[in-house]
Amino acid sequence: MATSSEIRAELAHPVIDADGHVLEYLPAVEPHLREALGPAAFDRYRSASSPLQRIMEADTEARLATRTPQSAWWGTPAAASDLATAAAPALMHERMDELGLDVAVLYPTKGFGIAGIADDELRAGVCRGFNEFYAATYGPYADRLTVAGVIPMHTPTEALEGLAHCAELGFKVVAFPEGVTREIPEPVLEGGSPFLLPGQRHWFDSFGLDSAYDYDPVWARARELGFAVTFHGGLGHMPTGSFTSVSNYSSNHVGSFAQRMHTLVKSLFMGGVTRRHPDQGFAVLECGVGWAAILLNDLVDHWEKRRPEGLEALDPAGIDWDELEALMRRHAPDLLAAGDDVRAGLATIPGIGVPPAERDEWRHLGASTSGELVDLFAGSFYFGCEADDRTIAYAFSPANHDGFTLRPIFSSDIGHWDAGDPAGVVAEAFELVEDGILTEAQLAELVYENPARLFLDQNPDFFVGTPVADHAATLVDA
């Protein structure tokens, strides 16, 4: 079997890793945190116990009593060479040819959760400190490695400040959390909605439809600064989602990133973000793409039946009650005999509900055809896919509405347990071609063209000074 480096040597195009991971050496992070927070806030941060650490250390009895989900355990490789590769940028840089990678975009690990810190001062300071560590530690290796800066998103103001700071530090990539947990202003603690948990006090804001804030200035400023918008699950507060088992991490992990990003993508799309920012790329990472093909097909089906023109066939004003009664008397007289007031009984048949003040639920999209609807989705979103993900083929399926294709981007996940042997990741991706799952042209889209366009469309100079520069220049000019 060919190695990753041998496969890369045979390819006519680069291989861009759109989502690997660093393993932060925390003693080296702390001076940056102390500087960013100041002595008092740093001491406060150090003295506060980490919710994530408490969750990871909880025993079975405590989990059962509190319904605390089982989180990750043994989540990184045990081989010293692989641990050191994710922790030491010089070693990762040295191994890039062995790994079969031309350029790698890297995301945090110990930085998970920092954009979800509830305390405003600590959240902003901790994100600044981690970002300063990433810039200082990985900056010297920028010809092949680039780490994403973390942007807190509790308000547009702090996000704009974070973007400015990342630009000052020289970042080329920024990472956003998939949402923000907010308090419900007036929670109904008894007899509330059946769609809320009993006594629910919080909701999850996904920055698009029905958001507490207008985040359009954030997306616009990201584009002005040359940043693609990338979302990585776990950077903020982690909603329960599929994490419901108190004993089984694998059960919790399966589908969890897809579930989070499904909510986010739907929120951004239905909120009209891709219509108002058609030139901004939005990437959702480590989540696969199969679910996104299902989502877009489902959106088109819903649009066809529930856009204003489709609603005409559903308007209860069009019910002919005399005809309905006649049909029921002819075909279900035994049912009508069950009540004293036939018309009142007939009124219980249709599902009417109370329409919202604005009945056009697709108004933020402004699409007049299904093709326009598809373009607003498929032309804006990119989907992080790991090397062994056979459902990447769904992005190119002939079953997709209007023949759409989606944009999967290659994500090694190096540094985490599911990457396996870092030196085997590219070879594993090439197996999709050998097994007839992808064509060579589709592999090129996955590992090169799509990730390159994600970043080049925002910053034409993104790959200047890297081994990808000459190839990328042809995409810029195309």
Side-chain angles (χ1 to χ4, degrees):
M1 180 180 294
T3 65
S4 291
S5 60
E6 291 170 341
I7 289 170
R8 170 61 191 95
E10 294 298 317
L11 295 176
H13 53 78
V15 175
I16 299 170
D17 180 3
D19 178 16
H21 284 274
V22 303
L23 295 176
E24 301 88 337
Y25 185 67
L26 289 180
V29 179
E30 287 192 346
H32 296 278
L33 294 176
R34 186 182 295 108
E35 178 68 22
L37 287 164
F42 177 72
D43 289 342
R44 188 155 56 89
Y45 171 70
R46 284 290 304 274
S47 63
S49 61
S50 164
L52 189 58
Q53 193 65 31
R54 290 199 306 271
I55 290 170
M56 294 177 70
E57 294 175 352
D59 59 26
T60 301
E61 185 176 348
R63 293 182 189 282
L64 285 170
T66 61
R67 298 307 302 177
T68 297
Q70 175 66 59
S71 62
W73 52 279
W74 294 1
T76 54
S81 61
D82 295 340
L83 286 171
T85 296
L91 179 56
M92 182 176 285
H93 189 272
E94 180 182 301
R95 294 187 66 189
M96 288 291 281
D97 289 337
E98 175 196 352
L99 303 181
L101 301 173
D102 292 82
V103 172
V105 180
L106 305 170
Y107 287 81
T109 297
K110 304 298 175 61
F112 279 164
I114 62 176
I117 296 172
D119 183 293
D120 293 345
E121 180 185 15
L122 294 186
R123 181 176 62 254
V126 170
C127 287
R128 283 198 308 271
F130 267 91
N131 289 340
E132 287 164 3
F133 164 77
Y134 296 136
T137 305
Y138 285 83
Y141 306 94
D143 63 321
R144 303 192 76 167
L145 307 176
T146 184
V147 181
V150 178
I151 306 296
M153 285 280 282
H154 277 57
T155 67
T157 298
E158 73 170 11
L160 292 170
E161 292 171 353
L163 287 170
H165 187 234
C166 283
E168 291 169 4
L169 292 173
F171 281 96
K172 293 195 295 183
V173 181
V174 290
F176 296 82
E178 73 269 36
V180 171
T181 300
R182 305 194 192 279
E183 291 185 357
I184 296 175
E186 298 182 11
V188 179
L189 303 182
E190 294 184 11
S193 168
F195 297 103
L196 298 176
L197 291 172
Q200 184 172 331
R201 294 178 179 271
H202 295 82
W203 64 288
F204 200 66
D205 187 340
S206 299
F207 309 133
L209 186 66
D210 302 327
S211 176
Y213 294 95
D214 176 7
Y215 282 93
D216 276 4
V218 177
W219 319 134
R221 185 57 176 154
R223 178 161 176 78
E224 290 171 2
L225 293 172
F227 292 131
V229 174
T230 73
F231 297 95
H232 202 295
L235 288 176
H237 181 271
M238 302 179 188
T240 54
S242 70
F243 270 69
T244 56
S245 171
V246 299
S247 64
N248 194 311
Y249 165 66
S250 292
S251 176
N252 290 336
H253 188 263
V254 169
S256 62
F257 282 88
Q259 187 177 63
R260 298 175 196 181
M261 296 310 178
H262 185 284
T263 299
L264 171 64
V265 167
K266 191 166 57 172
S267 172
L268 296 175
F269 183 70
M270 293 297 287
V273 173
T274 62
R275 181 185 64 79
R276 296 191 298 276
H277 302 272
D279 297 322
Q280 176 61 269
F282 296 88
V284 289
L285 300 173
E286 209 169 311
C287 58
V289 70
W291 62 270
I294 295 172
L295 172 59
L296 181 48
N297 281 299
D298 205 5
L299 285 166
V300 173
D301 289 340
H302 276 72
W303 176 82
E304 288 177 344
K305 294 178 174 64
R306 296 200 64 88
R307 70 188 194 274
E309 295 84 349
L311 290 175
E312 293 176 4
L314 306 176
D315 189 345
I319 297 174
D320 185 329
W321 294 100
D322 291 334
E323 181 183 3
L324 178 61
E325 181 177 347
L327 288 168
M328 291 296 292
R329 288 190 181 281
R330 186 179 313 139
H331 298 285
D334 52 332
L335 294 180
L336 296 189
D340 296 328
D341 186 336
V342 171
R343 283 301 172 98
L346 292 175
T348 68
I349 294 178
I352 295 176
V354 179
E358 175 52 73
R359 298 181 185 180
D360 181 4
E361 296 179 332
W362 306 87
R363 62 192 179 279
H364 300 301
L365 293 161
S368 57
T369 67
S370 62
E372 290 177 4
L373 194 76
V374 166
D375 288 343
L376 289 170
F377 188 104
S380 295
F381 291 113
Y382 296 77
F383 302 90
C385 298
E386 296 184 18
D388 60 349
D389 185 354
R390 297 168 71 89
T391 68
I392 295 169
Y394 296 177
F396 308 102
S397 171
N400 293 332
H401 265 293
D402 296 290
F404 74 73
T405 60
L406 297 180
R407 292 177 169 178
I409 54 177
F410 176 61
S411 304
S412 74
D413 210 34
I414 285 174
H416 291 175
W417 65 266
D418 34 354
D421 176 11
V425 174
V426 171
E428 193 170 28
F430 192 74
E431 287 180 12
L432 298 174
V433 175
E434 295 175 325
D435 293 343
I437 305 301
L438 298 180
T439 66
E440 290 193 17
Q442 290 166 347
L443 179 74
E445 289 187 49
L446 170 70
V447 303
Y448 168 52
E449 294 171 18
N450 289 340
R453 289 193 181 280
L454 168 66
F455 299 115
L456 287 171
D457 285 352
Q458 310 308 315
N459 177 6
D461 295 328
F462 187 93
F463 292 105
V464 170
T466 76
V468 180
D470 291 342
H471 280 87
T474 64
L475 292 180
V476 172
D477 296 336

